[in-house]
Amino acid sequence: MSAAAEPKVYGWCPGALRPMMSGDGLVVRVRAPLGKLSVTQARGVARLSEEFGNGLLDISARANLQMRGIREDAHEDLIEALRTLGLIDPDASAEARRNVLLAPFWAEGDDTHAIATGLSAALTGAADLTLPGKFGFAVDCGAEPVLQDIAADIRIERSGGTLILRADGAGAGLPVTRESAVAEALALARWFLEQGGAPEGRGRMHRLIARRGPPAAHAAPVARTAFAAKPGAVPAGTLAALEFGQMPAATLAQLADHGPIRLTPWRMLLVEGAKSLPPLPGLILDATDPRLQVVACTGAPGCLQALSSTRDLARELAPHVPAGTKLHISGCAKGCACPGPAPLTLTATGENEFSLIRNGTAADQPLKTRLSAGALRAAPELLKEGS
């Protein structure tokens, strides 16, 4: 792919039943029910990753687990094995609709758990609901929301002690109850389609809201809250970050020795009941680790769209990122690892060549161009210039 070529925009995310080809083989995305892997499931996924793929696992910004490097001729056998583990939906359409993210600090039987369970079941059965491939729901009903900075189109969250259904992009929502939340969420999804939110099958809620505003009944104000996840102990167990969202399958298997695993949208794993975790390949357990300030996509050769490798450079630049800021390194202008603006972004424009963008996305106007990876390694202060 040349530097002048436009990256291909698929408009949908891979699933298990509908995988996506990448530079290292098929990407098979597992949407674990309620974002949780039992000990048996975690060990099974790790074994299957090594048997049918390249033994690398990603965690996505939607808290899904991606198996990388899956051989095309092994896909059917993999699906049957995942089905045995209880990790496969009835069909690809149901899998795509059941795009439900829940705040990972839930307890069994609480509002987040109950609503997410009901919503997942309702979406699986709603065969007539044809939503865009990236359209997603967030269930965030703890004492304070923790997912407001995570991409979602329809949100069920708590504000001032009240459950609120909110269209993404709106500052107000509809008060709901534990019993009414699922039906109202589906009604809002149908409203999105009726209002023309998905022309030609693509679209996001926040774009529709920017054009016409939320439904009239959505008038209850919603407070914004700030939440920053960090590795370490939490009431439900221990959070472990993954270096650039990836780990070897063997690490997942070893983590399962410490308890069931919840997937989070912060590219972290929550190991239930664990008071501490051992250092394992791919894990970041120190909340001050500089790699936590860097977001980097798969890069070349793992991604067919990427113009350059990304992660070796990310490791080397991490200690030089100014404190309190974030660096996004993207293999192309799509910016999959960080779709929104970042304080600092390096976008590949050729092999080991990058543009520097400040306070923008990977596709925005650069401050500097034609920066070689070698120059950045030799003079990382280039990141700070022009600030």
Side-chain angles (χ1 to χ4, degrees):
M1 182 175 178
S2 71
E6 289 292 330
K8 183 176 180 180
V9 178
Y10 290 95
W12 55 278
C13 294
L17 296 172
R18 190 189 182 192
M20 184 180 287
M21 180 57 69
S22 194
D24 53 359
L26 292 176
V27 175
V28 173
R29 182 175 289 186
V30 176
R31 290 181 173 170
L34 301 180
K36 177 179 175 176
L37 296 171
S38 68
V39 169
T40 298
Q41 288 172 329
R43 289 172 176 161
V45 167
R47 175 180 56 80
L48 295 171
S49 172
E50 293 177 332
E51 181 178 352
F52 296 123
N54 62 12
L56 292 176
L57 297 167
D58 297 335
I59 185 168
S60 78
R62 292 288 304 173
N64 296 312
L65 198 65
Q66 293 187 160
M67 308 175 75
R68 299 200 65 91
I70 301 299
R71 304 188 309 276
E72 286 189 84
D73 61 359
H75 181 244
E76 289 188 13
D77 289 340
L78 171 64
I79 292 302
E80 286 310 306
L82 289 172
R83 197 183 304 278
T84 299
L85 289 171
L87 294 172
I88 295 296
D89 289 276
D91 54 57
S93 296
E95 176 183 69
R97 287 192 304 276
R98 190 181 59 81
N99 194 3
V100 179
L101 171 65
L102 66 163
F105 305 126
W106 53 270
E108 189 165 352
D110 70 5
D111 286 341
T112 295
H113 177 261
I115 292 171
T117 300
L119 181 59
S120 296
L123 288 167
T124 298
D128 64 323
L129 190 59
T130 307
L131 293 166
K134 292 180 178 290
F135 196 96
F137 300 76
V139 183
D140 191 13
C141 305
E144 295 288 342
V146 297
L147 301 179
Q148 288 187 336
D149 291 330
I150 303 299
D153 294 273
I154 292 177
R155 303 175 182 276
I156 304 169
E157 57 196 17
R158 195 178 303 279
S159 181
T162 301
L163 290 177
I164 299 287
L165 173 72
R166 181 166 66 90
D168 190 46
L174 178 72
V176 294
T177 65
R178 177 168 168 155
E179 292 72 28
S180 69
V182 171
E184 293 291 356
L186 293 184
L188 183 57
R190 297 186 192 281
W191 174 88
F192 165 81
L193 295 173
E194 291 164 1
Q195 295 297 316
E200 300 179 357
R202 293 187 184 184
R204 301 303 298 265
M205 180 68 83
H206 68 88
R207 297 193 185 109
L208 176 65
I209 296 302
R211 293 199 308 269
R212 58 97 57 222
H218 287 229
V222 177
R224 291 284 302 175
T225 61
F227 177 80
K230 296 180 180 179
V234 294
T238 296
L239 278 171
L242 306 188
E243 185 193 50
F244 313 126
Q246 190 172 88
M247 65 180 161
T251 291
L252 179 65
Q254 289 173 279
L255 285 176
D257 292 339
H258 300 269
I261 294 169
R262 299 186 190 183
L263 310 172
T264 85
W266 309 301
R267 295 187 169 90
M268 298 183 185
L269 302 176
L270 171 56
V271 184
E272 288 186 7
K275 298 187 182 302
S276 63
L277 294 171
L280 294 170
L283 293 192
I284 299 175
L285 302 175
D286 180 358
T288 65
D289 192 299
R291 290 171 295 175
L292 294 172
Q293 292 182 245
V294 184
V295 179
C297 67
T298 298
C303 175
L304 293 171
Q305 309 296 312
L307 299 170
S308 178
S309 59
T310 58
R311 288 181 173 172
D312 285 345
L313 180 62
R315 290 184 188 95
E316 294 183 54
L317 292 183
H320 305 283
V321 177
T325 191
K326 181 170 76 172
L327 170 64
H328 171 208
I329 303 183
S330 181
C332 75
K334 286 171 64 178
C336 296
C338 181
L344 295 168
T345 298
L346 290 171
T347 300
T349 54
E351 179 58 35
N352 290 320
E353 184 176 276
F354 296 84
S355 289
L356 173 63
I357 298 149
R358 192 171 298 282
N359 298 317
T361 71
D364 283 342
Q365 186 69 27
L367 178 70
K368 298 177 184 291
T369 60
R370 303 184 67 82
L371 292 171
S372 72
L376 287 162
R377 289 184 171 99
E381 61 269 17
L382 288 168
L383 294 174
K384 304 176 185 178
E385 291 178 7
S387 59

